[in-house]
């Protein structure tokens, strides 16, 4: 039963990837840059889900599209593209690309914060923390993670806030701040219980 479910999941992802590729080709032929940006993000994410490997095939195009969205004033799309790009770079685990990922995450978080989207900025800062951890800079990871939870002051009981508090607890433990780590982890658990996030 598990094998059949897994096979169905892979089949659905491949079907979704094919649909995203058709949408991408269609919007490209129409010159519809806004919807092309959305299709590009979807295709990039689905390729990662299907292939189970860093989604680096479209990195150059995503970078160009992020710049285009900024020029067109579509700030949220630009920020989301930059976040996707950062994830693709980070998953490569290449030192130079981990640095590029950090730049992408900082830009994306700044754009989201500037437009008042604190929750999304918090998620991107959480990605920055993970990226710093992968780079071996555990102190910076704890700093970015602390900043990430700060973005959830206005939505303290959201599921994502719970995830970020849990991550913060992990990063604090790695740098030996155990009492603070326990407090952060407890907060993450409390939020998860309140939101029925098993």
């Amino acid at each position: 039963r598990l094998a059949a479910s897994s096979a169905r999941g892979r089949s659905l992802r491949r079907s979704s990837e094919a649909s995203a590729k058709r949408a991408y080709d269609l919007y490209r032929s129409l010159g519809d840059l806004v919807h092309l940006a959305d299709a590009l993000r979807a295709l990039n994410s689905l390729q990662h889900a299907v292939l189970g490997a860093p989604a680096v095939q479209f990195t150059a195009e995503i970078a160009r599209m992020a710049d285009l969205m900024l020029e067109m004033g579509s700030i949220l799309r630009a920020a989301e593209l930059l976040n996707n790009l950062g994830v693709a770079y980070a998953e490569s685990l290449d030192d130079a690309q981990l640095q590029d990922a950090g730049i992408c995450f900082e830009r994306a978080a700044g754009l989201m914060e500037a437009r008042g989207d604190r929750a999304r900025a918090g998620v991107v800062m959480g990605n920055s923390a993970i990226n710093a951890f992968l780079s071996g800079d555990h102190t910076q990871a704890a700093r970015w993670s602390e900043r990430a939870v700060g973005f959830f002051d206005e939505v303290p009981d959201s599921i994502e806030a719970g995830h970020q508090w849990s991550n913060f607890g992990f990063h604090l433990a790695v740098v030996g701040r155990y009492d603070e780590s326990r407090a952060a982890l407890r907060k993450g658990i409390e939020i998860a219980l309140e939101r029925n996030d098993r």
Side-chain angles (χ1 to χ4, degrees):
R1 187 180 292 174
L2 185 60
S5 176
S6 178
R8 272 196 307 275
R10 278 194 304 275
S11 175
L12 282 171
R13 286 194 297 271
R14 287 194 185 282
S15 174
S16 296
E17 182 194 17
S19 295
K21 180 72 169 77
R22 283 195 299 275
Y24 170 83
D25 290 339
L26 175 64
Y27 289 127
R28 189 177 195 78
S29 69
L30 293 172
D32 183 340
L33 293 178
V34 170
H35 290 102
L36 179 62
D38 294 339
L40 180 60
R41 281 187 61 239
L43 184 57
N44 182 67
S45 298
L46 283 163
Q47 281 217 324
H48 173 61
V50 171
L51 299 174
V56 295
Q57 180 179 346
F58 295 105
T59 50
E61 188 168 359
I62 292 172
R64 282 195 304 273
M65 188 62 73
D67 289 338
L68 272 173
M69 290 299 105
L70 276 175
E71 288 173 21
M72 293 172 63
S74 188
I75 304 302
L76 179 58
R77 279 186 174 88
E80 288 175 335
L81 285 161
L82 286 166
N83 184 57
N84 269 43
L85 187 57
V87 169
Y89 284 148
E91 288 180 341
S92 74
L93 298 179
D94 173 80
D95 287 342
Q97 291 201 345
L98 284 168
Q99 288 183 358
D100 291 339
I103 293 166
C104 289
F105 291 138
E106 286 182 53
R107 284 184 68 198
L111 290 169
M112 288 174 176
E113 184 179 14
R115 71 187 301 275
D117 198 338
R118 292 182 59 78
R120 284 186 183 172
V123 171
V124 176
M125 286 311 305
N127 289 343
S128 284
I130 293 167
N131 187 65
F133 176 81
L134 292 172
S135 300
D137 191 345
H138 300 156
T139 302
Q140 185 62 58
R143 281 195 207 106
W144 285 142
S145 193
E146 184 171 21
R147 190 165 170 217
V149 296
F151 280 114
F152 288 92
D153 289 344
E154 294 168 17
V155 279
D157 65 342
S158 73
I159 288 175
E160 187 57 44
H163 295 175
Q164 295 299 332
W165 275 103
S166 298
N167 290 345
F168 185 35
F170 166 78
H171 291 299
L172 289 169
V174 170
V175 295
R177 292 163 61 182
Y178 300 117
D179 290 340
E180 293 169 273
S181 172
R182 274 189 287 274
L185 290 168
R186 280 193 196 102
K187 185 155 185 168
I189 290 169
E190 287 168 11
I191 295 169
L193 289 171
E194 286 169 9
R195 304 293 292 183
N196 197 29
D197 180 8
R198 295 180 63 84

